[in-house]
Each structure stands twice: as C-alpha cells, then as structure tokens.
Amino acid sequence: MANDRISIIVSMVDPKAGPAFDLCCDHGRIGFQALEKGASVTFNDREAHLVEALSSRLKRYHPELYPKAQFITGDAKAIKFPENSQVIVAGVGNDLIQKIAKTVPSDAGCQLILGIQKRSIELRRELRSLGWRLELERLCLEKGRFREVLKLSQTGDNINDIGIFHKEPKKLKLDFFQTLQKHVKSVQSLDKSTLDTLDMRIQDTKESPDL
C-alpha cells in the first residue's frame, strides 16, 4: 500500500469526475501524477516562474499529457471553479486552506482534497462550519510526522474533530498502525543525546508561527 502523502492525495482524485485543480502547486508533483492517472488538471501557483517552468517541462518531456493540462498564475482564492471540480490544497497553512475552502461553490458538486500540516482540530471545525462533509480520510507518516489527508464534499459524513477512519477497511488500519509501531520502536532505540536534539526541534516547531 502506498502510504506517502502525495500518493494518498492522488488516489483520491477521480479521473472520471470533474477537472482537478492543483492549487499552490509548487513543482506540480501532485498534479502531474493526477495527469498520469487520466485526470484533467489545472496547475496554480502565485509564482510565475514556477508555473512557466512546469508548463515548459510538461510540454517538453510529456507532450502526451500536455493537452489535458492548464496553468493559472496568481491567487488561488480568485479562481472560479466550475461544477464538479476536485480542488486539491496541500503543503500550505490552515489559514489559507480555510480561505480557499470559502471560495469553492457549495452547490456545484465540488470536492476538496486537503493535505493538512498541523492543528487539524481547529481546521476541521472551521470546515464543518462552512458546510463541508467527510468522504474519506487517511493518515500517513512523512519524515517522522503524521499528516492527515481529507476528501470532502457537501454530501458526505460529519467531519469529526479527530479522525476515526470510519471508511477505512481493516487492512489499511492494520498497515498504518504497523508503520506507527515501527516508528515508535525506532524512536525508543535512540540514545539520550539524539532524543535531546529531537526534543529541541519539537520545541522550536511549537514556538514557530503556523505556515
């Protein structure tokens, strides 16, 4: 089972549904994999040089995929999403996720696919207040940190403050917790100096502002 964040996000994209939007796409890895899967993808980023470079690379090295790709430079919050859009937001802070979620039409069959960095309880509550509901959720372990991936719509289940994997089959739950167990064992095997260094990094993270 692929358990990395990008693979999980792409697994939630349905090529037979509406167009996918890879917002704040940076180098476009999520959108590119969605293109390979057969989806039509619009890449967006505020940085013009990133969007231009992505367009050039795609046209040069993957001309067979290029006709299904579009590119938008600028503020993701200004995009007008058509019906049944699959709006992907990952690698950004909760504040921007909330602002983008408010711009996605609630009556047009759109879906949100979100890669949450941290402080998910507050974000879940805000998304719930906006009328979004849960279709699917996954957890993954990435670079020693847990990341949540949510797929939301207007017709799913209630978004809980803490994820409960209520749609996950038993095998996926087992695979995840086996990965967690290995991670815990690896931490337990570290010597004291390494643990002290990790603790300092955790404190630095707590004191740093949210993305």
Side-chain angles (χ1 to χ4, degrees), residues 21-143:
F21 287 78
D22 184 4
L23 304 185
C24 310
C25 67
D26 196 31
H27 297 293
R29 288 179 60 197
I30 294 172
F32 174 71
Q33 290 187 27
L35 277 175
E36 288 188 310
K37 191 177 178 181
S40 297
V41 179
T42 296
F43 295 86
N44 156 261
D45 201 276
R46 294 183 70 97
E47 301 294 334
H49 71 279
L50 289 176
V51 177
E52 291 167 3
L54 178 59
S55 175
S56 296
R57 288 198 307 272
L58 192 62
K59 189 173 185 179
R60 179 177 180 181
Y61 297 110
H62 302 277
E64 76 284 1
L65 299 177
Y66 194 79
K68 299 194 74 171
Q70 296 186 54
F71 304 89
I72 297 177
T73 299
D75 189 351
K77 301 188 299 298
I79 295 175
K80 303 299 183 183
F81 300 103
E83 290 186 359
N84 302 315
S85 292
Q86 302 175 86
V87 181
I88 305 166
V89 192
V92 300
N94 290 353
D95 183 61
L96 182 54
I97 290 177
Q98 292 176 22
K99 290 177 179 178
I100 291 174
K102 291 178 180 179
T103 70
V104 180
S106 59
D107 58 350
C110 295
Q111 295 181 327
L112 284 175
I113 301 174
L114 308 176
I116 301 176
Q117 302 265 55
K118 53 186 176 179
R119 297 192 177 99
S120 67
I121 292 178
E122 294 91 338
L123 179 58
R124 285 168 177 266
R125 290 173 178 170
E126 178 65 22
L127 292 167
R128 186 169 63 227
S129 73
L130 293 173
W132 289 102
R133 299 182 66 81
L134 183 67
E135 290 287 341
L136 182 65
E137 62 180 315
R138 296 273 182 86
L139 266 182
C140 65
L141 194 59
E142 182 181 72
K143 297 180 180 179

